Amino acid sequence: MSDADMMALMGISGFGAKKSKVQLDRNRFDKNKRPFQAPVQPASSSSSAGPSSNIPVAEPVYDPDDPSLAGRPDADDENEDEYDEDDAPQFPITHELVLADHTKVVSALAVDPSGARVLSGSHDYDCKLWDFGGMDVRCKPFKSWEPAGSYYVNDLKYSNKGDQFLVISGTSQAKLYDRDGEEKATFIKGDMYIRDMKHTAGHVADLTSCAWHPYEENLFITSSADSTIRIWDVENKRKQKTVIVVKSKERGARTKVMSCAYSPDGSIIAGACLDGALHLWNANSNFVRPNHSIEGAHQKNSETGSIVFSRDGWTMLTRASDDTVKLWDLRKFRKPIAEKSGLATLYPGTNAVFSPDEKYVVTGSSAPGKGKQGSLLLLDRETLEKVESVEMPSSVVKVLWHTRINQVLVGLASGQITVLYSPLTSSNGAKLLLNKGPPRKATIESLSNSVMAPAIITPHALPMFRDGDDIVAAIGSATKRKREKERNDPRKSHKPELPVTGPGKGGRVGASATQHIVQNLFRDTTRDMDVSVLPDFSAVIHCKFLLSAIVASVLNPQLGLEHLCAFCSPTAVRLENRAAASKLMHKCFSASALIAAVSGMT
C-alpha cells in the first residue's frame, strides 16, 4: 500500500494539500435553454432581381494568414470565458426550470426576500414549499400540505423578513405559518349573524387577498367578500385592529373586495371591488369613507386580480378579468394614463407586476382555446405596448419577477411553475441546481469511513420478513409457504379459549365462589408406588370424572348419595385390583359425608 493510501485510511490525506476547485461544465445550462425562433427577416430588393437570386453563394474559406483576422481572438481564447458579457439578454427568459407537482391551476405564488424558497398555492387545495438550494434534478417540494381542507388557495405573502408567511384560502380565516411551513396562528372568524361589519371580530365570508405593511412587521391587511378590509396584528388573533367597510354606490349595497395593497411607504391602502370601483384610504384616517375613489375603473362584475404600486408611490398598476391592464397616476386620479386591452383572461386571479427597474410591466394571457398555448407578455411601462412575448404550454395565471435573483416565475393553469432565468444576468435561484457540479467520485477515505461506520439493520425490514406477494427470493417464498401451512393446521392455528365466567358454558364448569375451595380439598394423593397397582390408566380418567361429579353435587346439594354410588360402582368393577376399588369407594363415601356437612351448613 502506498503512503497516500495509508494517509487516506488514517484520515489525514488532505493535510497540507490545496483543495481542488470543482470544475463545472460550461454547457450545463444548455439543456434548460428555451427554443429560440429567429425573427423573420424582410425580403430584400435583390430577391426579386430575377434568376440571379438563385445563384448559390460560395462558402468562404478560412485563411489563417488573412490580415483582417489579426485582431480577432482565437476560438480557444473565446472558450476561456464561459459567456460573453456583450451577449447578455435584455430579459432573463433564455432558460427555464420547470417545477411540476401541482395538479390544477396555480392560483398563488410567492418567493421569500432572499430568493431561496418558493411558496405556491393551487386549486388542488395544496400549498407547497420549494427550496432551490435543497432540490435535486427531480425538482420536488420539500413540504406539501392542505391549509384549509377542500378550499382553494387564493393568495400567499411572505413577510418583509421572510421568517413567516400568510395563507389566504377560500375560508374566512387567515393562517400564519413560519418559514418551514409550521402553523403559528389561525385568526378568528366573525359572527355572520351580525349585520354591522364593524362589530364583528373577523371576516364572515371567504378571503380574497392580503398584504403586509412595508415597515410595521406585525401588521397586515386582508380583503374579503364580506365587503371589508381588515387590519390585523400578528400578536392578536382574537380580533382585528381596524375595520374598513366598503360600500357600493348601488343603494348602499355591499360589494366584494377582490384585491388590496399597501403603498410603498404604508401611508395608503388601496382596494378594488367587484362593482368595478377602485378606492384609496389614508392609513392614518378614520376609514369612514375613502379619500379617493373611481367608479367604473374596471368593468362591473370583473374581478381585479392585483394592485401594485411603483416604488415612488405615485403610479398604480391594476389587472382585471375584463382583459385589461391599466396604469394610474395618483396625482391625476380620474382616468388611467395608459391601458392595454385584449389580454385574454380565463382565471380571475391573473395578475400583473413591474419589472425590477420598473421600465416594463409583466403579465400573462390565457390560451385562446383548449390545448393551445398561453403567453407571457412584457409591456412597456409608458405606453403598455408589447415588447416581448414568451409562449407558455398553457394559460398564464400568476407572474412574479424577483428583484434579488432576477428571475421570472410563472404559474400556469396546468399546475406547472416555470422559472425563467438567464445564466448571465440571473443569480442563484434556479441556477443553484446546475451549479452543484457532478457527484464526487468514491475515494479510499470515503470507503473506509463507510466501512467503519456502524450499520443499523432492522430485522423486520428485511425481505424475508415482509408480507406480500412480491417476494421473489427463495428464502422468502419458503417462509411464506411455511406460514400458510401453519395457518391451515387446526392445532397450530387454534385460538386459545378465554376464561369462562358465570355458571358454565359448553360443558365447562364456570368459576364460582366454591371452586377454589373444592380444588384445595381434593388433592391428588397418589404415590409413585401406587402407579404399578393400576395397570389401566382409565381408572384415573374415571376418577377425574368422579371429582367433576362431586363438584357438581356441591353446586347442587339435592343430589343424593345413590347417584354418586351409581357412578362409582361401574368404575370399581372395571378395576382389576380389588384394593384399588375399595379405596375408590372409600373416597366416594368420604366425599358424600363432606357433601352432607356442606349441605347442613348452608
Side-chain angles (χ1 to χ4, degrees), residues 76 171 231 257 288 293 297 305 334 419 490 592 601:
D76 297 338
T171 63
I231 304 176
V257 184
V288 174
S293 293
R334 293 185 179 90
V419 184
S592 302
M601 293 174 63

Side-chain angles (χ1 to χ4, degrees), residues 52-99:
S52 60
S53 59
N54 297 328
I55 300 175
V57 180
E59 184 179 357
V61 180
Y62 173 73
D63 185 8
D65 298 332
D66 190 356
S68 61
L69 301 177
R72 299 184 181 181
D74 296 336
D76 297 338
D77 297 336
E78 291 180 356
N79 292 334
E80 291 181 359
D81 297 331
E82 187 175 355
Y83 295 98
D84 189 2
E85 295 182 358
D86 297 337
D87 297 335
Q90 184 180 6
F91 305 109
I93 57 175
T94 57
H95 296 66
E96 67 177 5
L97 176 68
V98 177
L99 307 178

Side-chain angles (χ1 to χ4, degrees), residues 208-209 223-229 244-249 253-260 270-281 290 293-307 318-322:
T208 55
S209 67
S223 62
S224 171
D226 61 0
S227 187
T228 62
I229 297 176
I244 304 175
V245 180
V246 183
K247 295 181 180 179
S248 177
K249 288 292 184 179
R254 296 181 182 179
T255 179
K256 296 181 179 180
V257 184
M258 303 309 302
S259 184
C260 62
C273 303
L274 187 63
D275 60 356
L278 192 60
H279 304 289
L280 300 178
W281 295 269
S293 293
I294 295 182
E295 299 294 335
H298 288 278
Q299 291 183 6
K300 186 178 178 181
N301 295 328
S302 63
E303 301 183 16
T304 303
S306 65
I307 300 176
T318 58
R319 174 76 160 94
S321 59
D322 58 357

Side-chain angles (χ1 to χ4, degrees), residues 423-440:
L424 294 176
T425 59
S426 301
S427 62
N428 296 334
K431 294 175 61 178
L432 292 177
L433 276 72
L434 299 175
N435 284 341
K436 295 180 180 180
R440 296 181 179 179

